[in-house]
Amino acid sequence: MSFEDYSGIWVFIEVKDGEVVPVSLELLGAGKELADKRGTELAGVLIGENVTHLADTLYEYGADTVYVYDDTIFKNYRTESYMKALLECCQKYKPEVILYGATSTGKDLASAVATDLPTGLTADSTILDIEEDTGLLLASRPAFGGNIMATILCKKYRPQMATVRPKVMKALSPEPGRTGQLIEETASIKEEDIRTKVLEIVQFTTQKVRIDEADIVVAGGKGLGSEKGFQVVHDLAETLGGAVGASRDVVEAGWVEHHHQVGQTGLTVTPKIYFAIGISGAIQHIVGMQNSGLIIAINKDPEAPIFQSSHYGIVGDAFEIVPLLIQQFKQAFNQEVVDHV
């Protein structure tokens, strides 16, 4: 294997309900930084049915080239069909790096492609960099329960691959009218070659605010003492119209379900306002909320690490402070209603 044959930074472009998934645009932003540093092009790999028109969006968000596999066989994601297309594209054009969103689709596809190539794969990366002279991808992620940051290298194989969680990277501001090169490809796989069939897609909705889409997240930690004590988090979230978040310890204790967990083993969130109540501030939690617009910590321990990652900190008893906040917020909301009458 000659590394000189490999060049370019690629991003797998995930499509859902006819639109590009936001994490793919975020990765184009991260990929652009790597490509500029390496002096190479940034490309998107777009797979699906009736997706070619989405290439214009990818150009606006930084892609120089878009490889497209547009066929009815790709209407729904299936590992075999998407893997075959991406493998053939890799073998033909030889990218140096491929980035995937750490979604259920991205993680499944990345692991399948890495196994078949074969090459290495760094999962759930939170920091990406590249050596300008060698092209060695530096993919960093928390390890050992979030106690250290590990930088993982793939020195012997190409392409180098990594998955990145949604909302960890930032998308570039779109540049309307920007254009690029479109390369349309056809995969050799046929429908009869695929062992899995999509029989039905069942969708459901919930009245609850999704934690990874909320503008306000109120998160609580084990410092609240019990499931009953955690109720103050629910109360503040309800008052503000926000979503409830939690630390890993809280989820493991069974106070809330896993989809509320923020951090390396939960979700990454970037709300406008993030309340951290009774949360100590372990690194595995910090990486899941550090890019929030405004972080407000409440903790009775003045030495709690969470204060180092907060914009504002309140030292004191959450069971005294949170009810006062709820009272003040309700008064402010009521006054706003009166002012508009």
Side-chain angles (χ1 to χ4, degrees):
M1 176 182 291
S2 174
F3 289 176
E4 295 181 357
D5 296 334
Y6 293 80
S7 66
I9 310 297
W10 284 13
V11 174
F12 166 66
I13 305 300
E14 185 175 344
V15 177
K16 184 176 182 180
D17 297 329
E19 297 183 357
V20 177
V21 173
V23 68
S24 296
L25 302 180
E26 294 162 12
L27 289 180
L28 286 175
K32 188 64 174 176
E33 292 184 12
L34 301 180
D36 288 348
K37 190 171 182 179
R38 188 73 173 121
T40 188
E41 72 164 16
L42 173 66
V45 182
L46 185 58
I47 305 174
E49 181 187 37
N50 297 325
V51 295
T52 302
H53 68 283
L54 296 174
D56 291 336
T57 298
L58 305 183
Y59 300 142
E60 292 181 355
Y61 280 88
D64 302 306
T65 300
V66 177
Y67 300 95
V68 179
Y69 289 82
D70 196 331
D71 194 279
T72 55
I73 198 172
F74 303 120
K75 179 179 180 179
N76 296 305
Y77 174 76
R78 290 175 289 178
T79 307
E80 290 172 281
S81 58
Y82 276 58
M83 179 183 71
K84 184 67 173 179
L86 191 50
L87 282 172
E88 291 179 357
C89 203
C90 286
Q91 291 161 357
K92 183 174 181 179
Y93 295 104
K94 293 181 168 50
E96 189 169 45
V97 172
I98 308 178
L99 305 176
Y100 307 77
T103 61
S104 57
T105 295
K107 290 188 286 189
D108 179 73
L109 180 61
S111 58
V113 171
T115 301
D116 209 87
L117 277 174
T119 189
L121 171 65
T122 303
D124 289 335
S125 305
T126 57
I127 302 173
L128 296 174
D129 200 358
I130 197 167
E131 291 186 353
E132 185 176 347
D133 52 345
T134 66
L136 192 63
L137 180 67
L138 310 176
S140 300
R141 54 158 295 165
F144 294 102
N147 293 313
I148 65 170
M149 290 294 291
T151 298
I152 301 171
L153 312 177
C154 181
K155 294 183 177 181
K156 297 183 178 180
Y157 298 96
R158 293 292 184 274
Q160 304 161 93
M161 304 206 308
T163 63
V164 181
R165 288 189 172 201
K167 298 194 174 185
V168 170
M169 305 298 175
K170 294 187 180 298
L172 299 174
S173 297
E175 185 180 334
R178 188 176 184 274
T179 60
Q181 182 181 19
L182 182 68
I183 300 178
E184 298 181 87
E185 295 286 341
T186 302
S188 63
I189 194 168
K190 305 298 181 184
E191 184 62 44
E192 55 268 24
D193 300 327
I194 304 175
R195 292 170 291 180
T196 56
K197 310 295 178 186
V198 178
L199 302 180
E200 183 182 7
I201 297 177
V202 179
Q203 296 182 335
F204 66 93
T205 59
T206 175
Q207 293 182 339
K208 297 293 184 180
V209 180
R210 282 178 55 95
I211 188 173
D212 55 346
E213 297 178 354
D215 287 334
I216 299 174
V217 173
V218 182
K222 204 65 181 294
L224 292 172
S226 66
E227 185 174 355
K228 182 179 180 180
F230 194 83
Q231 183 60 39
V232 298
V233 173
H234 292 284
D235 294 342
L236 181 56
E238 183 178 355
T239 300
L240 298 175
V244 172
S247 66
R248 183 176 63 181
D249 288 344
V250 165
V251 172
E252 291 179 346
W255 299 355
V256 293
E257 296 179 358
H258 184 268
H259 64 262
H260 291 285
Q261 184 174 328
V262 176
Q264 180 64 21
T265 52
L267 292 170
T268 298
V269 298
T270 55
K272 294 178 180 177
I273 304 175
Y274 186 91
F275 286 89
I277 305 173
I279 294 175
S280 63
I283 188 173
Q284 77 87 24
H285 183 81
I286 296 299
V287 298
M289 44 67 79
Q290 61 187 349
N291 291 325
S292 301
L294 180 67
I295 300 172
I296 302 169
I298 302 173
N299 201 297
K300 62 183 179 181
D301 179 8
E303 302 300 323
I306 190 67
F307 289 123
Q308 300 300 316
S309 301
S310 304
H311 298 96
Y312 295 98
I314 303 174
V315 179
D317 188 341
F319 300 114
E320 296 177 1
I321 296 169
V322 175
L324 291 175
L325 288 176
I326 292 174
Q327 181 182 356
Q328 291 298 312
F329 282 129
K330 286 182 176 180
Q331 289 180 359
F333 295 154
N334 291 336
Q335 185 60 49
E336 185 176 351
V337 171
V338 172
D339 291 343
H340 282 81
V341 172

